[in-house]
Amino acid sequence: MQATQAAISNAFKTPEVMRLFAKQEPAQLRTLLTQLDRDVVLGKRTAEESKQDKIEILTALKKLGQQISNDEELFLQSSVNLQTVSSGEVVGDHVLGLVQNK
């Protein structure tokens, strides 16, 4: 259990994303993504402030085998090109394996 938690912590920095990924809850991750977008539109957060959270959520959704839209894929690819999140993706694969083996 501690190894799984440590791997999740290394893959994702947002506690809620960690929890939802570990529980394999893609619908709740989608809801969180919608809330992030809404907060940007309402001016509660800037696009820059929500960028890392959005990257984490989209990465978690992909690792859970969920389809993401073309726009989301483009956002993720352009963000990955600007900053390295590949370590999170590798750890995400490892964590998913640990979670699925439980």
Side-chain angles (χ1 to χ4, degrees):
M1 181 66 177
Q2 288 180 339
T4 301
Q5 185 61 36
I8 291 171
S9 294
N10 287 335
F12 305 109
K13 301 301 177 202
T14 309
E16 191 166 7
V17 174
M18 285 188 258
R19 182 180 58 79
L20 295 174
F21 181 79
K23 290 184 175 184
Q24 299 185 31
E25 296 185 9
Q28 281 74 18
L29 285 166
R30 274 278 167 212
T31 299
L32 187 57
L33 186 61
T34 301
Q35 290 171 347
L36 277 177
D37 290 340
R38 183 201 66 216
D39 287 350
V40 170
V41 170
L42 295 175
K44 292 182 178 182
R45 296 180 73 167
T46 66
E48 193 61 37
E49 289 172 336
S50 67
K51 185 176 183 176
Q52 185 60 41
D53 291 344
K54 190 171 182 177
I55 291 168
E56 288 184 15
I57 293 167
L58 291 173
T59 301
L61 286 168
K62 284 185 72 170
K63 295 302 172 189
L64 290 173
Q66 299 297 304
Q67 292 286 348
I68 63 173
S69 72
N70 290 336
D71 288 342
E72 291 169 335
E73 185 66 44
L74 288 173
F75 170 82
L76 195 54
Q77 287 176 0
S78 67
S79 297
V80 169
N81 289 336
L82 295 174
Q83 67 183 51
T84 303
V85 294
S86 60
S87 63
E89 292 181 66
V90 171
V91 173
D93 286 340
H94 175 70
V95 172
L96 186 58
L98 289 172
V99 171
Q100 288 175 337
N101 288 332
K102 283 193 155 196

